[in-house]
Amino acid sequence: MDAKPTARRRRFLTGFLLLLAAAVYVAGWRQTEIDPVKLVTSLPKSRGILSDLIHPDVVTRPKRTATTAVVFPVPCGSAPAPAAGAATGPRLETSASCAAPGDSITVRGAGLERNATVRIEWKLPNGGALFSRLARTDAEGAFTARVDVRPVNATQNGVPGALVAETSIATGGLEPSPALKDVVNNIIVTIFMALLATTAGTLVAAPVSFLAARNITRHGKLGTATYTTVRAILNVIRSYDSLVLATVFALWVGFGAFAGVLALTVVTIASLGKLFSEAVESIDPGPLEAITATGATRAEVVRY
């Protein structure tokens, strides 16, 4: 008689948990705005970065560059419309004189370098730049491209942004690219950061590890309090990611390698302190008892 109600309750509980899990996943799907269709339809926008990942910029050629720009208010009415540009020479033309965020406009270039790569980007009102897309001019120095208007392009304090087209054409032989030089330089800096942080962290972690070792420090009330405190501090520090600590030190001493060294040093102290303390705790107690029996002091035992 009791088996049927029990089985019924189990089925009910299982069904309820499945419905609850489904509701959680549906809510999560909506809150994170997952859109698989957009992942496919927006694939053309990723061609530039995917191409850079597949074909890294290791070597390059010296290039001759030229820049052409046109003022473009976002949204309309946020700044005076730009005056009509010249009809000859290098120039940019847009399908509209202004637009709202989310719109798409057509950009045409004329009178530019022939058969050259064109980097189209937004010059933001705050002075920054936002890459949009790449294009290429034809044999007459012209190109046509579609560009999306984004909210960051909006006019700020009456200062509109601008569309900039930078044409570049190779003029010499191969040489290491700026990206390769930056990578090699940062690799060297990273190695030195790791060297200094590991050395400093080891020098601090070695004595701290004795304070965090149960068989060395946990004797009496003061020793127990010291052991518990040091262990807790090491555990708390180890719970922080090195990037979080790097951000804290960057706000403290400024962004740069110094902040990274400090963050790695703290992480190393916590990790090696725990590792060393466990090594100390695993020491064979026999020799320590023998040394203590000869009348050695606590400091002499620790030194041994």
Side-chain angles (χ1 to χ4, degrees):
M1 295 297 293
D2 296 334
K4 290 184 178 180
T6 301
R8 192 177 297 113
R9 283 195 297 270
R10 289 179 178 175
R11 289 195 297 269
F12 173 79
L13 181 60
T14 300
F16 174 77
L17 292 177
L18 290 175
L19 289 176
L20 180 62
V24 170
Y25 278 103
V26 170
W29 185 284
R30 292 180 177 177
Q31 290 295 324
T32 54
E33 300 179 354
I34 295 177
D35 188 356
V37 176
K38 189 175 182 180
L39 183 65
V40 177
T41 57
S42 301
L43 184 61
K45 298 180 180 179
S46 65
R47 289 179 180 176
I49 190 170
L50 290 179
S51 177
D52 291 340
L53 289 174
I54 298 173
H55 306 286
D57 184 14
V58 178
V59 294
T60 186
R61 298 177 185 272
K63 297 178 180 179
R64 181 175 67 252
T65 61
T67 302
T68 307
V70 59
V71 176
F72 197 87
V74 177
C76 294
S78 59
T88 59
R91 59 193 182 277
L92 283 183
E93 300 175 352
T94 57
S95 58
S97 59
C98 59
D103 292 346
S104 182
I105 61 174
T106 300
V107 181
R108 298 181 180 85
L112 307 176
E113 289 275 6
R114 300 176 181 179
N115 301 316
T117 301
V118 182
R119 177 185 175 88
I120 305 173
E121 60 183 17
W122 289 96
K123 190 69 173 180
L124 304 180
N126 60 7
L130 177 66
F131 172 76
S132 179
R133 60 172 303 172
L134 294 176
R136 191 167 183 83
T137 57
D138 55 21
E140 298 180 354
F143 76 90
T144 301
R146 295 290 293 179
V147 174
D148 294 329
V149 180
R150 303 179 183 180
V152 293
N153 307 134
T155 300
Q156 298 179 8
N157 299 323
V159 179
L163 265 174
V164 178
E166 181 184 81
T167 57
S168 58
I169 188 167
T171 58
L174 294 176
E175 62 181 22
S177 68
L180 178 61
K181 295 177 182 177
D182 290 340
V183 168
V184 173
N185 179 68
N186 288 324
I187 287 176
I188 296 174
V189 172
T190 302
I191 292 174
F192 285 129
M193 288 172 56
L195 173 65
L196 296 176
T198 303
T199 303
T202 303
L203 293 176
V204 176
V208 169
S209 64
F210 288 98
L211 298 177
R214 180 183 293 104
N215 58 339
I216 298 296
T217 307
R218 197 171 184 179
H219 299 285
K221 294 182 178 180
L222 179 60
T224 301
T226 302
Y227 165 81
T228 303
T229 302
V230 174
R231 274 280 181 154
I233 292 174
L234 293 179
N235 290 334
V236 169
I237 294 176
R238 285 171 49 246
S239 66
Y240 284 97
D241 188 84
S242 56
L243 290 178
V244 175
L245 292 176
T247 303
V248 173
F249 282 112
L251 297 175
W252 186 348
V253 300
F255 289 89
F258 183 38
V261 170
L262 293 175
L264 292 176
T265 299
V266 173
V267 172
T268 302
I269 291 173
S271 299
L272 292 185
K274 182 177 184 298
L275 180 65
F276 292 165
S277 65
E278 292 175 348
V280 172
E281 290 177 348
S282 64
I283 292 175
D284 184 5
L288 299 182
E289 294 174 356
I291 295 175
T292 304
T294 63
T297 63
R298 172 62 58 181
E300 291 173 336
V301 173
V302 172
R303 178 182 176 187
Y304 171 79

